[in-house]
């Protein structure tokens, strides 16, 4: 009975502690009271009562732990328990699909609990143990004087600034250390009236002060003066309660109590709790947050019990005994033991230090200057960025390199030789990366391994001076290794399980990259938590911020597409024959040849109507010209497969006719992951005798310089290219070239080549950020209202930007109308800007609707081009090839006939319109959303039998060309 009573008391104490440590930090609505009202008084009183809990626990720990022996051993075990349990908990959470974006910070908090003050209560206990061990228990007088001094320090803030000692900020651990010492001086008294009366009196005074503070605080800044754990009245209450409780309590399992504290105060765990609280249905509700808190505490009690069970296993008990033995020695022997252990670990520590150096240097050498720009926006010093922002990625790369060295050592039994081999391989890898970056603005990728078959030709491209340096370095390194192995050999004792572990560890870790891109899988979650950003849309930036090794491994887990049912040579030939027949029927009513037309695909960066977004309304329309052109020509909305990003994916769909929703989730960016791997990339370019691409920005993004060459473009105009971007102008303070600049370069191209051609124009004017006040006259399109959480200033700036686009399109249309050649422009926005905070599950379709317009100039309309309105209200980017052929009255081949059937008979298709379109990730399962002409989602299972067959044909062709046996390629020539 006594044991059960004691367990219940400790359980209540832990819940009391958890309520204070978790509930109020989750910011329930109750915590929002701050005015002079009875509501605020009630809130302060309730919070003040819960804050007694942490003080009570520390006092009780001080009472019971002060009587323990082996205090040095106890401090070591508490620290190890805190680090091990905290890191394990952070790792487990990192493996989950937690959606929390600041894990590097929380993981560091677990790894360095004392230096980062992650667990002030536990740190305070450790400091208290050290202090109490310095003052022997027998020196009662000295201990009493120290206790008196502590009580004086606790009382001073009542008559001075509340945070005079800084305890409530960075020095809370010192406060808990003081409480621990007070707990050690606690004298249990069995008369309830003594302790009970003191507890009731101090609590009553505290409640009185807390209730009055909202009305007495001059400006509200001192409203919490008596609602802190450091309040002396709370301490007196806790002290009195502790003095009464210790008479009926048994000594607790200290390790279990502190493990509960670690779990409840762990930064990673709290980040997950806060994320849950921040979302519906909890939404910081006073009651729901309390229920969540109680559930979290209960889970922590169970998890701590499981952890203690693990610590009672044989091998952990062995570690515990070794710690006791170490702590029992005098300082000289302890120092000797530490020195001996460090000497034993010296070779491994050296290997890891070299591995870390390789990882850091290789990351830094991916840059060609001292500044780095991770994305469009501010730049950073590469040294500070690498070591402060990418620290966990450096540790991961160092670990991978370390395991390779140990793998080679386990095989060769040669320490220096194994280390030298890895250094040579790493240097070669870095040099190869820098050479490729210099030639193609792209790092080494897994697809480049195929080039090893022609290594001889590649070696001829390397400058002789570089070869001379490499050969000289190898000779010197070989000499150094021979000397070290002879004069400073390191004995490697790999036996049994240890040797097997090193032989397996490197292959397992490197093989894990085959699962890195499986979104939602544990390894993908872990890499995301560590800060890995694959940057598939810009492989060079990925190598710069992740390092070349991690970026290389990011690109291993790429499966192009699942094989559709029924795939075979016979089936593909049947499809070609089927749609070749349909092409013949279509061509009976078409007179023009697409090659004789001038077709412009104009991807307008982020172009979309803010008035389409639920909850957003502008004072006036910023795009009246586009709206009017849509009414009188072919136009409507395009369903994008991205939100706030994914430009190249929309571009890929328009050029090829393939839907990215059919690709595997491990292929989020075909431009950088697929195009370079294929020998042949069929696209609309094949229908023309001449094709150019124009992009008034850098050509390295999405690897466009290589991609356009693969597609067969004759020229690519971009900033820094030999084909210069001319007429460079910017609007107001914008860093981006204007859309008018883009259109003037298109007009130059129309003048320089007066025959049929294809022009792919990608603008940059409306790219983020939208919060830097680049533009003047923002009030003309001032928002009347915005959706909850959306910044109206960002909407104003974006609306001003697209108004400039609207004017540029107006002038461009007038100019091409004056050209006596058939010109058709397909104008479309690639995605919405990521500025709207709407619920994607509710407004997903609307947040993926951009504007599109197909306009044929006067000459084209006079020579067969016709606007049409059937099936045009809602389309997808892969429809544009078929639509432009129909608009220009041009004949089609069998593949274009298939695209025509897809456009006319299937709803618009996109990838996951109910989730934000991050171009670095994708759903764990391939998924296509269908949107009908009314803007409603249609499930694939609800398609008709004919539609399902058409969709299957379409997917079979896409699979064949991009991932299959290429049976249909010969029919596309």
């Amino acid at each position: 009975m006594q044991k059960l009573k004691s367990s219940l008391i400790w359980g209540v104490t832990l819940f009391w502690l958890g309520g204070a440590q978790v509930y109020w930090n989750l910011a329930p609505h109750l915590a929002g009271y701050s005015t002079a009202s009875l509501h605020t008084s009630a809130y302060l009183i309730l919070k003040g009562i819960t804050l007694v809990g942490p003080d009570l626990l520390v006092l009780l720990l001080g009472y019971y732990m002060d009587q323990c022996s082996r205090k040095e051993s106890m401090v070591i075990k508490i620290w190890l328990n805190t680090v091990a349990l905290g890191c394990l908990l952070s790792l487990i959470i990192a493996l989950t699909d937690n959606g929390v974006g600041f894990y590097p910070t929380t993981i560091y908090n677990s790894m360095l609990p004392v230096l980062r003050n992650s667990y002030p209560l536990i740190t305070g206990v450790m400091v208290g143990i050290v202090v109490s061990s310095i003052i022997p228990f027998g020196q009662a007088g000295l201990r009493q004087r120290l206790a008196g001094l502590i009580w004086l320090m606790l009382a001073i803030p009542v008559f001075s600034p509340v945070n005079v000692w800084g305890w409530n900020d960075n020095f809370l651990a010192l406060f808990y250390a003081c409480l621990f010492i007070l707990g050690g001086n606690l004298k249990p008294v069995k008369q309830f009236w003594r302790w009970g009366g003191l507890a009731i009196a101090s609590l009553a005074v505290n409640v009185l002060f807390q209730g009055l503070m909202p009305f007495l605080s001059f400006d509200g800044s001192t409203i919490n003066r008596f609602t802190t754990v450091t309040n002396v009245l709370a301490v007196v209450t806790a002290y009195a309660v502790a003095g009464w409780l210790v008479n009926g309590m048994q000594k607790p399992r200290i390790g279990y109590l502190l493990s509960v504290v670690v779990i409840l105060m762990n930064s990673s765990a709290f980040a997950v709790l806060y994320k849950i609280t921040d979302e519906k249905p909890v939404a910081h509700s006073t009651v729901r947050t309390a229920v969540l808190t109680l559930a979290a505490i209960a889970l922590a009690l169970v998890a701590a019990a499981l952890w203690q069970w693990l610590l009672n296993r044989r091998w952990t008990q062995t570690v515990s005994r070794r710690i006791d033995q170490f702590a029992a020695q005098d300082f000289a022997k302890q120092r000797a033991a530490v020195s001996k252990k460090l000497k034993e670990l010296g070779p491994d520590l050296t290997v890891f230090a070299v591995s870390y150096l390789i990882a850091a240097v290789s990351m830094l050498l991916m840059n060609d200057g001292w500044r780095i720009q991770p994305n469009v926006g501010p730049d950073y010093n590469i040294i500070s960025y690498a070591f402060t922002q990418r620290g966990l990625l450096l540790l991961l790369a160092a670990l991978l390199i370390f395991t390779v060295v140990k793998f080679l050592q386990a095989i060769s039994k040669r320490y220096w030789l194994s280390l030298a081999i890895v250094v040579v391989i790493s240097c070669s890898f870095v040099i190869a990366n820098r050479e490729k970056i210099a030639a193609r603005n792209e790092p080494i990728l897994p697809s480049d391994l195929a080039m090893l078959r022609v290594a001889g030709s590649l070696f001829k491209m390397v400058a002789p001076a570089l070869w001379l340096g490499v050969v000289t370095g190898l000779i010197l390194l070989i000499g150094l290794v021979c000397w070290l192995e002879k004069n400073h050999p390191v004995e490697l004792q790999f036996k049994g399980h240890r040797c097997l572990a090193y032989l397996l560890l490197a292959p397992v870790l490197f093989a894990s990259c085959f699962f890195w891109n499986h979104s939602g899988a544990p390894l993908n979650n872990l890499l995301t938590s560590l800060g890995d950003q694959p940057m598939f849309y810009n492989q060079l930036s990925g190598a710069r911020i992740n390092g070349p090794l991690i970026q290389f491994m990011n690109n291993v887990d790429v499966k192009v597409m699942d094989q559709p049912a029924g795939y075979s040579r016979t089936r593909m030939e049947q499809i070609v024959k089927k749609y070749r027949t349909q092409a013949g029927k279509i061509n009976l009513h078409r007179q023009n040849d697409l090659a004789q037309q001038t077709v412009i695909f104009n991807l307008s960066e982020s172009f979309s109507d803010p008035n389409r977004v639920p909850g957003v309304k502008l004072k006036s329309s910023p795009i009246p010209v586009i709206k009017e052109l849509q009414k009188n020509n072919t136009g409507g909305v395009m369903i994008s497969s991205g939100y706030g990003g994914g430009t190249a994916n929309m571009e890929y769909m328009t050029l090829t006719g393939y839907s990215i929703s059919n690709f595997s989730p491990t292929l989020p960016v075909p431009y950088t992951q697929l195009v370079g791997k294929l020998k042949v990339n069929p696209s609309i370019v094949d229908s023309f005798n001449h094709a150019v691409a124009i992009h008034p920005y850098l050509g390295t993004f999405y690897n466009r310089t290589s991609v356009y060459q693969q597609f067969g473009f004759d020229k690519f105009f971009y900033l820094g290219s030999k084909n210069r971007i001319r007429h460079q102008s910017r609007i107001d303070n914008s860093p981006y070239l204007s859309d008018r600049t883009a259109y003037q370069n298109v007009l130059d191209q129309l003048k320089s080549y007066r025959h049929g051609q294809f022009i792919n124009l990608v603008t940059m004017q409306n790219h983020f950020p939208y919060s830097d006040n680049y533009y003047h006259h923002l009030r003309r399109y001032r928002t009347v209202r915005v959706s909850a959480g959306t910044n109206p200033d960002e909407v104003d700036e974006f609306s001003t930007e697209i108004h400039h686009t609207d004017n540029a399109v107006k002038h461009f249309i007038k100019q091409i109308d004056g050209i006596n050649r058939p010109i058709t422009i397909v104008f479309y926005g690639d995605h919405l800007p990521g500025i709207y905070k709407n619920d994607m599950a509710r407004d997903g379709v609307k947040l993926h609707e951009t504007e599109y317009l197909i306009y044929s100039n006067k000459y084209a309309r006079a020579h067969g081009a016709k606007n049409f309105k059937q099936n045009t209200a809602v389309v997808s980017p892969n429809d544009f090839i078929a639509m432009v052929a129909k608009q220009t009255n041009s004949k089609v081949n069998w593949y274009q006939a298939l695209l025509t059937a897809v456009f006319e008979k299937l709803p618009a298709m996109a990838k996951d319109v109910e989730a934000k379109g991050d171009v670095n990730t994708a759903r764990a399962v391939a998924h296509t959303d269908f949107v009908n002409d009314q803007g409603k989602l249609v499930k694939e299972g609800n398609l008709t039998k004919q539609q399902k067959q058409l969709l299957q044909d379409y997917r079979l062709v896409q699979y064949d060309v991009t991932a299959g046996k290429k049976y249909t390629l010969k029919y596309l020539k």
Side-chain angles (χ1 to χ4, degrees), residues 376-397:
V376 178
D379 60 3
Y380 305 93
N381 178 278
I382 61 170
I383 302 294
S384 62
Y385 183 79
F387 292 104
T388 62
Q389 301 299 313
R390 315 304 291 165
L392 292 178
L393 264 295
L394 286 176
L395 287 174
L396 175 61

Side-chain angles (χ1 to χ4, degrees), residues 828-864:
Y828 66 99
D830 54 342
H831 55 74
L832 274 73
I835 59 178
Y836 307 109
K837 305 306 179 184
N838 298 57
D839 182 356
M840 194 65 70
R842 182 188 67 236
D843 301 327
V845 174
K846 289 293 182 183
L847 291 177
H848 287 77
E849 290 182 350
T850 69
E851 308 299 317
Y852 89 91
L853 163 72
I854 303 179
Y855 180 85
S856 296
N857 70 345
K858 291 180 180 179
Y859 187 94
R861 295 198 302 273
H863 292 79

Side-chain angles (χ1 to χ4, degrees), residues 264 409 863:
L264 290 177
Q409 288 179 353
H863 292 79

Side-chain angles (χ1 to χ4, degrees), residues 171-193:
F171 301 104
L172 192 58
L174 294 180
F175 166 77
Y176 284 128
C178 292
L179 288 197
F180 184 89
I181 295 170
L182 288 181
N185 285 338
L186 191 64
K187 298 295 187 293
V189 179
K190 293 185 177 180
Q191 293 88 349
F192 170 77
W193 63 269

Side-chain angles (χ1 to χ4, degrees), residues 522-696:
L523 283 175
N524 179 264
N525 295 332
L526 175 63
L527 268 293
T528 301
S529 297
L530 292 178
D532 182 26
Q533 300 175 34
M535 301 281 281
F536 294 125
Y537 62 92
N538 190 337
Q539 296 284 0
L540 178 56
S541 289
R544 285 173 172 171
I545 70 171
N546 300 318
L549 176 59
I550 299 297
Q551 187 64 12
F552 181 91
M553 296 176 71
N554 279 331
N555 284 276
V556 171
D557 180 19
V558 176
K559 180 181 181 181
V560 177
M561 187 175 171
D562 292 326
Q563 180 176 304
Y567 177 70
S568 67
R569 180 191 294 273
T570 301
R571 179 77 180 102
M572 298 315 300
E573 290 176 346
Q574 290 173 348
I575 289 176
V576 172
K577 183 177 179 181
K578 173 182 178 181
Y579 291 100
R580 184 176 283 169
T581 301
Q582 291 193 18
K585 294 178 181 178
I586 293 172
N587 292 339
L588 288 174
H589 308 284
R590 305 260 180 105
Q591 290 78 42
N592 292 330
D593 182 355
L594 198 57
Q596 304 304 316
Q597 304 289 314
T598 293
V599 174
I600 304 167
F601 275 10
N602 175 197
L603 183 155
S604 183
E605 173 62 40
S606 299
F607 192 89
S608 54
D609 185 0
N611 284 310
R612 289 191 187 277
V613 179
V616 176
K617 183 179 179 181
L618 306 183
K619 187 162 70 171
S620 58
S621 173
I623 52 172
V625 174
I626 298 292
K627 289 293 187 181
E628 189 64 25
L629 287 169
Q630 286 177 316
K631 291 179 182 177
N632 301 322
N633 298 273
T634 306
V637 299
M638 185 200 83
I639 301 298
S640 172
S641 288
Y643 173 76
T647 297
N649 288 348
M650 306 315 113
E651 191 180 347
Y652 178 83
M653 292 171 72
T654 63
L655 296 178
T656 64
Y658 304 136
S659 174
I660 65 166
S661 65
N662 292 330
F663 286 131
S664 161
T666 63
L667 188 83
V669 186
Y671 260 28
T672 60
Q673 296 176 286
L674 175 64
V675 175
K677 293 183 177 181
L678 300 177
K679 293 182 179 178
V680 181
N681 286 277
S683 71
I684 191 175
V685 174
D686 300 332
S687 297
F688 295 84
N689 298 320
H690 189 73
V692 301
I694 301 173
H695 180 44

Side-chain angles (χ1 to χ4, degrees), residues 238-251:
Y239 193 83
V241 173
W244 173 58
L245 288 178
V246 292
N247 290 292
M249 295 176 65
Q250 295 181 349
K251 183 179 179 180

